[in-house]
């Protein structure tokens, strides 16, 4: 049992010197602004059924998806809190078409944050776990210049931090700055996230697979054969796999991170506008790929390591297969014809 259980995020950060030696406190202040935003979202999500934030906002976002009122509220909360933090030079939200510039009246900093303000938002009205996902980069353009696409379009390997908050039976923040993955649970009675899951490691192999089987007929042949093998190949693998799929990436990922297993959202031919699948590289795949690799797992498109993808569009979509390393390796055998 880690003797540090129960310490706050800031204490944990300082204790573990998770910042570079020349740290100025800037990253800590950025993290504190993000944490405050997520506490506010948790409060709003927690009483969603009682105030007018359920249901649709009556508009479609840049993703071509129905915007939920809670999507908008979460997006506004994060945008406001990070803009006034003085630590960011640009924001990219799943909910907004363009790079969000920090309003002139606020000081800017050296970080770029990509975020999915509310992941799994179609589940809000049904009280199913949802979350916020974020991905942090250092700017690459000179600090006295305007930010541009170069700052926003960096490969996932360049992330300096990534994490998510899951608004579920408890509110848990899972985060890494490249020295392992730690989970913090919100104690609502004191309003602090306290260390509850130190040094998370994903099991090498799991017994859970997560995929929307409704898309079966749209998958590539290798993915279909792999899923069939999981279900009907007991004589071969001797494992009784379970299918678990919530429809909130952050909740499916969090369970598989802790228990082991595989989450798959492969390319599917269902929507000709989304030939690369549904999930977004910059605000979903990259941050979770960063975390899973830090926890000893793997994240791939099936062909390429997610973190090495050179992005060309801030809302670029990618196929995402992510989880236990042995499970991902077997999947790749199937789609590359080795099984
Ligand atoms: P978001 O709510 O941010 O748009 O994300 C929804 C995503 C992800 O959370 C989940 O894994 C996936 O959509 C589910 O998609 P399907 O309903 O097509 O399975
Ligand atoms: Mn999402
Ligand atoms: Mn979202």
């Amino acid at each position: 049992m880690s003797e540090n259980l129960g310490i706050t995020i800031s204490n944990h950060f300082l204790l573990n010197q998770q910042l570079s030696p020349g740290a100025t406190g800037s990253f800590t202040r950025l993290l504190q602004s993000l944490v405050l935003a997520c506490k506010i979202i948790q409060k709003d999500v927690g009483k969603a059924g009682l105030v007018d934030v359920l249901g649709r906002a009556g508009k479609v976002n840049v993703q071509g998806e129905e915007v939920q009122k809670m999507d908008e509220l979460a997006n506004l909360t994060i945008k406001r809190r990070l803009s006034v933090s003085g630590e960011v030079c640009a924001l990219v939200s799943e909910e907004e078409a363009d790079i969000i510039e920090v309003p002139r009246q606020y000081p800017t900093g050296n970080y770029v944050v990509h975020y999915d303000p509310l992941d799994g938002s179609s589940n809000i009205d049904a009280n199913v776990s949802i979350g916020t996902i974020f991905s942090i980069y250092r700017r690459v353009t000179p600090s006295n210049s305007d930010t541009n696409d170069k700052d926003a379009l960096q490969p996932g390997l360049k992330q300096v931090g990534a994490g998510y908050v899951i608004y579920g039976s408890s509110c848990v923040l899972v985060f890494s700055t490249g020295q392992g993955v730690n989970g913090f649970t919100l104690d609502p009675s004191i309003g602090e996230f306290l260390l509850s899951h130190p040094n998370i490691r994903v099991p090498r192999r799991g017994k859970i697979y997560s995929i929307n089987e409704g898309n079966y007929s749209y998958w590539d042949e290798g993915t279909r054969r792999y899923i069939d093998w999981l279900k009907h190949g007991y004589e071969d693998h001797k494992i009784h796999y379970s299918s678990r799929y919530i429809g909130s990436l952050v909740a499916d990922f969090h369970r598989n991170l802790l228990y082991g297993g595989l989450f798959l959202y492969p390319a599917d031919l269902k929507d000709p506008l989304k030939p690369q699948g549904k999930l977004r590289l910059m605000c979903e795949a990259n941050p979770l790929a960063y975390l899973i690799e830090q926890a000893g797992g793997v994240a791939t498109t099936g062909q390429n390591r997610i973190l090495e993808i050179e992005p060309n569009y801030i809302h670029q979509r990618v196929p995402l297969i992510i989880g236990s390393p042995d499970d991902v390796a077997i999947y790749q055998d199937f789609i590359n014809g080795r099984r």
Side-chain angles (χ1 to χ4, degrees):
M1 187 85 147
S2 162
E3 72 283 355
N4 284 337
L5 276 180
I7 64 169
T8 66
I9 291 182
S10 305
N11 297 153
H12 182 266
F13 225 63
L14 298 175
L15 271 176
N16 289 277
Q17 288 305 309
Q18 287 195 7
L19 295 169
S20 54
T24 60
S26 174
F27 193 88
T28 302
R29 285 190 297 273
L30 169 63
L31 180 67
Q32 285 165 340
S33 299
L34 258 173
V35 164
L36 175 58
C38 292
K39 287 180 188 175
I40 294 167
I41 295 170
Q42 159 64 15
K43 168 193 55 78
D44 293 333
V45 164
K47 60 180 187 182
L50 301 174
V51 294
D52 181 25
V53 290
L54 284 179
R56 297 191 172 101
K59 57 178 75 164
V60 172
N61 64 14
V62 63
Q63 313 289 344
E65 293 161 351
E66 279 272 14
V67 177
Q68 305 293 323
K69 287 177 190 163
M70 200 55 232
D71 279 322
E72 273 189 330
L73 189 56
N75 181 44
L76 201 54
T77 300
I78 294 175
K79 191 160 62 168
R80 274 191 187 139
R81 293 296 163 184
L82 292 187
S83 295
V84 301
S85 71
E87 304 303 347
V88 298
C89 58
L91 296 171
V92 181
S93 167
E94 178 198 71
E95 298 297 343
E96 304 208 14
D98 304 314
I99 297 172
I100 303 163
E101 301 286 343
V102 175
R104 292 276 172 211
Q105 70 263 35
Y106 299 129
T108 56
N110 293 315
Y111 294 103
V112 179
V113 180
H114 288 259
Y115 64 95
D116 177 355
L118 213 60
D119 173 70
S121 50
S122 61
N123 281 317
I124 295 172
D125 297 9
N127 199 29
V128 171
S129 297
I130 50 183
T132 296
I133 310 172
F134 54 87
S135 166
I136 304 169
Y137 294 83
R138 209 178 295 285
R139 73 179 300 173
V140 292
T141 54
S143 52
N144 58 358
S145 68
D146 286 343
T147 53
N148 61 42
D149 280 358
K150 281 202 191 78
D151 294 309
L153 291 173
Q154 301 180 53
L157 276 175
K158 296 283 190 187
Q159 291 174 98
V160 292
Y164 60 84
V165 177
I166 180 166
Y167 310 110
S169 46
S170 60
C171 181
V172 178
L173 166 69
V174 174
F175 184 68
S176 177
T177 55
Q179 283 86 23
V181 180
N182 293 288
F184 301 82
T185 299
L186 180 65
D187 178 340
S189 65
I190 56 172
E192 280 285 359
F193 280 99
L194 305 178
L195 182 66
S196 52
H197 300 71
N199 192 27
I200 300 174
R201 302 293 292 171
V202 65
R204 281 208 63 83
R205 178 116 186 236
K207 299 178 179 175
I208 293 171
Y209 70 97
S210 308
I211 191 169
N212 182 342
E213 301 231 24
N215 296 333
Y216 183 89
S217 55
Y218 301 106
W219 299 333
D220 62 277
E221 195 258 338
T223 298
R224 286 202 300 270
R225 287 193 308 109
Y226 171 69
I227 299 298
D228 291 343
W229 178 77
L230 290 182
K231 295 197 279 193
H232 309 301
Y234 177 76
E235 287 315 310
D236 187 20
H237 49 61
K238 301 291 185 232
I239 296 175
H240 291 299
Y241 281 91
S242 292
S243 169
R244 294 284 184 272
Y245 191 75
I246 295 176
S248 292
L249 169 61
V250 73
D252 282 316
F253 176 84
H254 185 66
R255 180 203 51 245
N256 294 3
L257 172 69
L258 299 181
Y259 296 173
L262 197 56
F263 173 94
L264 309 94
Y265 207 111
D268 65 50
L269 305 177
K270 183 171 67 180
D271 183 341
L273 295 177
K274 301 172 189 165
Q276 288 307 310
K278 175 177 184 181
L279 300 180
R280 278 63 48 151
L281 172 62
M282 299 309 286
C283 69
E284 291 172 318
N286 266 336
L288 298 187
Y290 182 86
L291 290 171
I292 201 73
E293 290 200 6
Q294 282 292 317
V298 175
T300 174
T301 63
Q303 304 305 333
N304 305 306
R305 182 184 178 203
I306 292 287
L307 292 181
E308 291 177 353
I309 297 173
E310 288 290 344
N312 49 45
Y313 171 46
I314 53 174
H315 296 301
Q316 177 172 340
R317 297 174 192 270
V318 286
L320 178 63
I321 290 83
I322 187 168
S324 295
D326 293 357
D327 290 297
V328 175
I330 294 170
Y331 172 77
Q332 289 181 301
D333 285 346
F334 275 86
I335 59 161
N336 292 312
R338 293 190 289 269
R339 279 187 183 228

